[in-house]
Amino acid sequence: MVAHDEIGSFLPIKRTIRVLDVNNQSFREQEEPSNKRVRSLARVSSLANLISPVRNGAVKRFGQTIQSFTLRGDNRSPACAQKSFNRATVPTPSKRRNSVRWSEMLDINMKESLTTKEIKRQEAIYEMLRGEQDLIEDLKPARKAYHDPMLKLSIMSEEELTHIFGDLDAYIPLHEDLLARLGEATKPDGTVEQIGHILVNWLPGLNAYRGYCSNQLAANALLDQKKQDARVQDFLQRCLESPFSRKLDLWSFLDIPRSRLVKYPLLLKEILRHTPKDHTDIKPLEEALLVIQGVLSDINLKKGESECQYYIDKLEYLDDKQKDPRIEASKVLLCHGELKNKNGHKLYIFLFQDILVLTRPVIRNERHSYQVYRQPIPVKELVLEDLQDGDVRMGGSFRGAFSNSDKGWIT
């Protein structure tokens, strides 16, 4: 892949940045004597697809880190490494709950009276109901076992806890409502005739998660920072060893709503797959699927904008000339990630919808920031070209690649 940065009327120089998509294959930097040769960088993903317009703007798969298609394999932004907390651990229960399939609760006569397709349909409906029960059971300990004790013991301030936990426990009634509706629709024999109309009316309420999901990146960053405090680490470790945690750490509990949200379309598709075409529930189920897809797109878009602004706020400029207005105006972060050569030198890059920004990670007063390196490059001055797998070219160093030299290639 090639990216050309044309300086235009200001300088009669054309700068070329080549980025090779090697389909998840790592390759190493080659030594070279001049800045016209190339230094290979760590594994990267194709920028061609990322710069191309995507449907619904920033909306991609909600289940992935929104707007965080990184150029590294580990999908982590620079942060100080967490020291392992050494203490003896005690046996804890498994993460998995004991689950029973719907068909396993039927008596023989009832089971024989239903078709295989209907049994699978009822099992899919029961899986949705059981998932709501599990979600409610997981949301309740978040405040009682983590938030309230840490506040009472002054392990974290109320402001910090509010930033990390948000209104998590306020969503419990929302899911209890769905659970109650499904319970009312369940017949004495345990079957549910129609579920589509229930979901069409209930699913729009999930828009309440927009604020919570938009804050997740900042909340997780603050939690990671607080884990460096010995008191916080000790408390979280004790909770992890307690039976209620099921070996799940705090962030696993805080991330449960997001992971549940992405399951609704899958559950609906599974119910639809086992619903006969002439069933009265078909149209309501199809409508419900469109509703949840729209809800997730809205949440996804808001989350992407929030994460984009999060990183913009962490940029530090060495020169006012680097403050391109297209950075502050960005609403979409197409990708970001670390570039690293064999000597251990690193750059962290951000590809916004209109501009490419290269930075160096820095820590000031325990705050992680990104110091802008060189002049940001407008996307309109980038031209991408796909390279064949294994087509490694020779080129220059970071300095050569991103300076006003004739050409700077990154393979």
Side-chain angles (χ1 to χ4, degrees):
M1 180 179 300
V2 184
H4 301 277
D5 174 21
E6 299 183 18
I7 306 303
S9 60
F10 295 102
L11 289 173
I13 299 174
K14 186 175 184 179
R15 185 161 75 251
T16 302
I17 303 171
R18 291 192 174 238
V19 183
L20 174 64
D21 179 3
V22 293
N23 287 339
N24 296 329
Q25 294 181 3
S26 299
F27 50 93
R28 293 175 299 182
E29 179 177 316
Q30 304 294 325
E31 290 288 345
E32 73 287 344
S34 76
N35 60 10
K36 289 189 179 182
R37 298 179 62 189
V38 116
R39 289 198 179 193
S40 302
L41 301 178
R43 181 179 60 184
V44 300
S45 297
S46 173
L47 291 177
N49 293 331
L50 292 170
I51 290 183
S52 302
V54 294
R55 186 175 299 177
N56 292 330
V59 180
K60 295 182 182 179
R61 289 189 59 197
F62 181 77
Q64 297 176 343
T65 302
I66 310 303
Q67 311 308 330
S68 183
F69 195 108
T70 63
L71 298 171
R72 292 186 63 188
D74 57 7
N75 193 30
R76 292 181 297 178
S77 59
C80 52
Q82 301 296 327
K83 295 182 179 180
S84 59
F85 188 81
N86 296 322
R87 59 175 294 152
T89 58
V90 296
T92 56
S94 170
K95 294 181 184 179
R96 301 177 65 91
R97 286 186 170 97
N98 292 325
S99 59
V100 179
R101 298 174 63 183
W102 181 83
S103 59
E104 295 174 350
M105 298 184 293
L106 297 178
D107 59 45
I108 297 178
N109 294 332
M110 180 65 181
K111 194 171 185 178
E112 291 178 348
S113 66
L114 300 174
T115 63
T116 301
K117 192 175 187 68
E118 181 59 24
I119 290 177
K120 290 185 177 297
R121 169 178 154 83
Q122 293 300 325
E123 285 185 336
I125 293 174
Y126 178 74
E127 183 180 352
M128 176 172 284
L129 184 148
R130 181 59 186 266
E132 293 301 302
Q133 293 175 331
D134 292 344
L135 175 64
I136 294 168
E137 291 177 7
D138 285 335
L139 290 181
K140 288 180 178 179
R143 174 168 289 274
K144 293 182 179 179
Y146 288 97
H147 179 284
D148 293 349
M150 283 194 286
L151 180 61
K152 186 176 181 179
L153 297 172
S154 299
I155 295 176
M156 287 194 204
S157 69
E158 185 172 3
E159 181 181 357
E160 291 170 335
L161 290 170
T162 298
H163 192 66
I164 293 173
F165 286 82
D167 297 324
L168 190 60
D169 56 334
Y171 305 116
I172 294 177
L174 174 65
H175 295 281
E176 288 178 334
D177 179 44
L178 177 58
L179 200 58
R181 296 189 191 195
L182 294 177
E184 292 173 359
T186 303
K187 297 179 179 180
D189 61 6
T191 61
V192 176
E193 180 65 22
Q194 289 186 316
I195 189 177
H197 66 289
I198 295 175
L199 296 173
V200 168
N201 293 325
W202 180 83
L203 287 171
L206 293 176
N207 276 304
Y209 278 108
R210 279 186 295 185
Y212 181 82
C213 292
S214 296
N215 185 56
Q216 278 194 302
L217 179 62
N220 195 16
L222 177 58
L223 179 60
D224 285 343
Q225 179 183 338
K226 297 302 296 183
K227 284 179 181 178
Q228 299 174 59
D229 185 320
R231 293 187 69 205
V232 174
Q233 184 72 316
D234 179 74
F235 177 85
L236 295 179
Q237 181 65 29
R238 291 177 185 275
C239 289
L240 188 63
E241 295 170 3
S242 300
F244 75 84
S245 73
R246 304 192 337 271
K247 295 184 179 179
L248 298 175
D249 60 16
L250 174 56
W251 184 251
S252 295
F253 283 101
L254 297 176
D255 194 47
I256 282 173
R258 183 204 58 81
S259 61
R260 178 62 180 173
L261 286 173
V262 301
K263 289 181 181 178
Y264 286 117
L266 302 177
L267 292 169
L268 275 168
K269 290 178 181 179
E270 185 67 11
I271 296 173
L272 268 168
R273 190 162 70 92
H274 299 298
T275 301
K277 299 299 181 183
D278 58 349
H279 199 289
T280 56
D281 210 20
I282 280 289
K283 288 187 177 180
L285 284 172
E286 291 174 341
E287 183 180 352
L289 184 58
L290 292 176
V291 170
I292 186 59
Q293 289 173 340
V295 169
L296 294 186
S297 292
D298 289 342
I299 295 176
N300 190 25
L301 185 59
K302 294 295 183 182
K303 183 176 174 68
E305 291 176 355
S306 176
E307 293 184 355
C308 181
Q309 189 60 49
Y310 172 84
Y311 285 113
I312 290 175
D313 292 341
K314 286 187 170 292
L315 295 179
E316 291 186 359
Y317 301 92
L318 296 176
D319 191 323
D320 286 342
K321 294 180 181 179
Q322 295 176 324
K323 295 182 178 181
D324 193 299
R326 282 165 288 201
I327 298 176
E328 289 296 331
S330 296
K331 297 294 183 182
V332 181
L333 178 58
L334 296 171
C335 72
H336 64 93
E338 184 182 86
L339 300 180
K340 181 179 179 181
N341 62 26
K342 72 175 185 179
N343 295 324
H345 299 148
K346 302 176 183 178
L347 288 180
Y348 202 84
I349 75 167
F350 297 93
L351 180 61
F352 300 100
Q353 78 263 26
D354 293 320
I355 196 161
L356 176 69
V357 182
L358 301 103
T359 71
R360 292 188 186 279
V362 295
I363 300 177
R364 303 188 191 284
N365 298 323
E366 299 183 354
R367 180 180 180 272
H368 295 273
S369 302
Y370 301 91
Q371 189 178 82
V372 176
Y373 174 81
R374 301 289 176 175
Q375 190 67 23
I377 306 172
V379 167
K380 67 180 182 180
E381 297 175 10
L382 298 174
V383 178
L384 301 183
E385 175 184 330
D386 286 330
L387 299 180
Q388 296 297 321
D389 291 348
D391 186 6
V392 180
R393 308 290 177 83
M394 303 301 292
S397 63
F398 284 155
R399 183 177 296 275
F402 300 112
S403 68
N404 290 336
S405 59
D406 180 29
K407 285 185 179 181
W409 291 353
I410 299 178
T411 45

